Amino acid sequence: MLHLVRRLGFYALAAWLSITINFFLPRLAPGDPASLIFARFQGQLKPEALEALKQVFGLTDAPLYQQYFTYLKHLLQGDFGISVVYYPSRVVDVIGQGFQWTLFLAGTAVLISFVLGTGLGIVAAAKRGSWLDSVLPPVLAFFGAFPYFWFAMLLLYLLAFRMGWFPLGHAMSADLAHAGFFTRLYDVISHAFLPALSIVLATIGGWMLSMRNAMMGAMGQDYVALAEAKGLSRFRIIWRYAARNALLPNMTGFGMALGFVMGGSLLTEVVFSYPGQGFLLVQAVRSQDFPLMQGLFLMITLAVLLANWLVDLFTTLLDPRIRLGG
């Protein structure tokens, strides 16, 4: 319990530092959102409009420390400001819409890749020397050498553009507003299939190799030899003893991957015009939408910290040595 409290304190400190950096960083850059919008109208707005825009975006000439505490107060109220790109929508609403698509796409892809890769790593270690152990790891490692967006462009060209088996982009069709639930569900899955497949192909090899190597180390431990000497079944030794201990390093990596889900697989979403967090981030950078960029960076950072704390909680439950302070 003390270990978890210490880790929670560490993550709380890291979160405060992230929030503070997120406040000061945009203020080091030249310009502000109000001046940016004002400049876009190329002299068509009166000078008084600039002051009105500054009030809309909450920009003041107050001392920096007062702005900082106002910023913290707004964060606690869930107020991230107004988006420039999606004006007059609130940043929290824009991020919320992108988050649901990113969570569905990248979250599902990461979960499938982790479960399949970890399972294949366990089986490959249990059947050492078989074709599964000698052929599949180098093939999947070869796939893992390619970036997400390369698979995304290849699958988009072959299966969507040339064959026409899948939609070319976006998260769902625009003409299904009055369609039934299962029709819309099929449409959403068909739109997400190729982006998710590109993520799975690029990442499954890493999960398999790391789990296989961890399993090989676990299989040489004394507790496995003792279990074999006691006459326990091979299935129980593999899954109950070796896999449980070998799973810990992979779980740490899974926690990191879950955190980065919030950022989305940026280029994959861009290739498929998928309206997730990564697609929003690209739009925010292109349009210099500082409030939206701040909101996205903060959400990604907090998600990574939360995911890592949850992994700490899970590994503490899984490994008694951590609970006992060993």
Side-chain angles (χ1 to χ4, degrees):
M1 189 63 187
L2 184 61
H3 167 75
L4 289 178
V5 173
R6 283 202 302 264
R7 298 298 292 173
L8 183 60
F10 169 76
Y11 289 128
L13 178 62
W16 172 74
L17 286 174
S18 303
I19 291 171
T20 303
I21 293 173
N22 204 41
F23 168 78
F24 284 103
L25 205 57
R27 283 160 178 79
L28 298 177
D32 55 67
S35 301
L36 183 65
I37 293 181
F38 187 80
R40 286 179 181 173
F41 284 90
Q42 299 180 343
Q44 299 178 28
L45 294 179
K46 294 181 179 179
E48 295 81 7
L50 180 60
E51 292 302 319
L53 285 171
K54 285 186 176 180
Q55 289 183 3
V56 169
F57 287 102
L59 302 173
T60 67
D61 296 325
L64 202 57
Y65 74 92
Q66 288 186 9
Q67 294 183 40
Y68 178 67
F69 286 112
T70 304
Y71 172 74
L72 293 180
K73 178 183 175 183
H74 288 168
L75 280 187
L76 292 175
Q77 295 172 345
D79 181 8
F80 288 10
I82 305 293
S83 169
V84 175
V85 178
Y86 298 94
Y87 183 83
S89 298
R90 298 188 309 160
V91 168
V92 66
D93 295 331
V94 175
I95 292 177
Q97 291 177 0
F99 174 70
Q100 60 181 351
W101 291 116
T102 293
L103 187 64
F104 171 70
L105 171 64
T108 304
V110 168
L111 186 62
I112 291 174
S113 177
F114 173 76
V115 173
L116 283 181
T118 301
L120 288 172
I122 295 173
V123 176
K127 298 182 180 299
R128 189 176 183 181
S130 66
W131 71 269
L132 190 67
D133 182 43
S134 56
V135 176
L136 200 55
V139 171
L140 293 181
F142 176 74
F143 286 163
F146 294 94
Y148 296 168
F149 68 89
W150 190 89
F151 279 115
M153 290 190 294
L154 182 66
L155 294 174
L156 180 66
Y157 177 75
L158 292 178
L159 302 182
F161 182 71
R162 298 290 297 181
M163 307 300 292
W165 291 349
F166 296 94
L168 286 170
H170 303 293
M172 62 185 301
S173 302
D175 55 349
L176 294 179
H178 302 291
F181 171 77
F182 289 105
T183 303
R184 284 185 292 171
L185 179 63
Y186 173 78
D187 185 66
V188 169
I189 292 175
S190 64
H191 278 80
F193 185 83
L194 291 184
L197 181 60
S198 65
I199 297 173
V200 170
L201 287 176
T203 56
I204 190 172
W207 295 121
M208 180 184 182
L209 288 175
S210 62
M211 189 63 193
R212 176 191 174 277
N213 294 337
M215 279 290 294
M216 298 301 290
M219 294 291 287
Q221 296 297 315
D222 292 340
Y223 59 84
V224 172
L226 178 62
E228 290 175 340
K230 291 171 66 177
L232 299 180
S233 67
R234 179 74 173 170
F235 180 86
R236 185 175 181 185
I237 293 173
I238 293 293
W239 293 94
R240 179 71 175 80
Y241 293 91
R244 179 176 177 177
N245 289 283
L247 190 61
L248 293 175
N250 256 24
M251 282 304 302
T252 304
F254 181 63
M256 292 293 295
L258 275 182
F260 284 110
V261 161
M262 278 293 294
S265 299
L266 193 148
L267 293 178
T268 300
E269 292 184 353
V270 172
V271 170
F272 288 96
S273 300
Y274 204 83
Q277 302 283 75
F279 189 71
L280 287 177
L281 186 58
V282 171
Q283 286 188 308
V285 171
R286 282 178 176 171
S287 306
Q288 294 182 295
D289 188 346
F290 294 117
L292 184 56
M293 279 192 282
Q294 274 185 291
L296 287 169
F297 288 144
L298 187 60
M299 291 298 293
I300 293 170
T301 304
L302 295 181
V304 171
L305 294 174
L306 177 62
N308 277 274
W309 186 75
L310 291 176
V311 168
D312 278 345
L313 179 63
F314 184 77
T315 51
T316 301
L317 295 174
L318 200 64
D319 190 349
R321 292 171 296 182
I322 299 177
R323 290 198 301 271
L324 299 175

